[in-house]
Amino acid sequence: MAFVEIGCLDNHGIFRALLDSMARPGTVRMLPGARLGQGASTTIHQLMQSILDPEVSLSVAGDDLEGVEAELRWLIGSPGAETDTADFLLVPSGDSQGQVRQLKRGQLDFPDDGATVVYGVERLAENGDEAAMPMTGPGIRSVVRPRLQGLGDQELKHLKEINSEFPLGVDAIFADDDGRILCIPRSTRL
């Protein structure tokens, strides 16, 4: 995964798209400046430059995690951390192999101290089939069933478990090969 710095104006647009996506769970948003077929790693790179800084820690799950983590730390300055203390967990392959279950979930006094997980997936779509896990909650009109192609089989089940004690839990961001993102905040019921 090779990284290229993006400009300040791009960062603002990407951050705004991320906020809009968090406010409307299950809605797919295209990142500003993204290109179809750019690859999930490029989409993740654009996101990480917008949300990481030297004040937040990062852990990476999956293949070549040491190289990805080292490059992000060099580019952005975010310190590395163990999964259970990290502010962000990056899962470029779409499957944390259960590592997401170790993330910090906040405390009742400070529920916003829960971590955020960023998944790389192949394709995102707002309308999955009836077999897709239904989602409800704030920002969702009734029920949404997004399709998350390339996500590990157990990941949504893990997120459901982790977020079962709202306001505690983790926020999830999904980034696909075509520069799109979709968010599932901890307030969303799976």
Side-chain angles (χ1 to χ4, degrees):
M1 185 180 291
F3 295 108
V4 178
E5 267 189 274
I6 58 175
C8 185
L9 290 176
D10 291 335
N11 273 341
H12 292 292
I14 290 167
F15 192 72
R16 180 66 192 164
L18 182 60
L19 290 178
D20 287 345
S21 188
M22 278 288 183
R24 293 170 187 83
T27 302
V28 176
R29 295 261 186 264
M30 188 76 149
L31 292 182
R35 299 176 326 275
L36 294 178
Q38 70 180 17
S41 63
T42 299
T43 308
I44 289 170
H45 164 252
Q46 292 169 323
L47 273 173
M48 299 314 266
Q49 282 195 65
S50 299
I51 58 180
L52 292 181
D53 64 38
E55 302 294 317
V56 297
S57 59
L58 171 70
S59 184
V60 181
D63 299 334
D64 191 29
L65 54 111
E66 290 173 4
V68 172
E69 188 173 340
E71 194 156 358
L72 280 170
R73 280 187 287 156
W74 174 81
L75 183 64
I76 300 164
S78 292
E82 296 298 319
T83 303
D84 61 345
T85 61
D87 297 308
F88 286 88
L89 174 65
L90 175 57
V91 185
S93 67
D95 192 344
S96 73
Q97 298 176 350
Q99 220 172 325
V100 70
R101 298 172 70 205
Q102 300 169 19
L103 288 171
K104 61 183 182 175
R105 300 172 191 181
Q107 304 166 17
L108 287 177
D109 293 344
F110 299 99
D112 57 332
D113 281 346
T116 299
V117 58
V118 179
Y119 289 99
V121 296
E122 295 166 18
R123 183 162 170 73
L124 297 168
E126 289 182 19
N127 300 313
D129 58 24
E130 287 299 313
M133 186 175 286
M135 299 177 192
T136 61
I140 300 173
R141 210 165 269 231
S142 58
V143 176
V144 295
R145 294 175 182 272
R147 184 168 49 115
L148 307 161
Q149 185 179 339
L151 184 66
D153 293 339
Q154 299 299 310
E155 296 303 312
L156 286 178
K157 292 175 185 173
H158 293 323
L159 288 173
K160 180 179 180 176
E161 173 192 325
I162 292 166
N163 294 336
S164 65
E165 297 179 24
F166 183 78
L168 305 181
V170 302
D171 296 323
I173 303 168
F174 302 86
D176 81 359
D177 289 344
D178 290 328
R180 295 181 292 245
I181 60 169
L182 179 145
C183 294
I184 302 176
R186 65 180 175 265
S187 60
T188 301
R189 290 178 292 286
L190 301 173

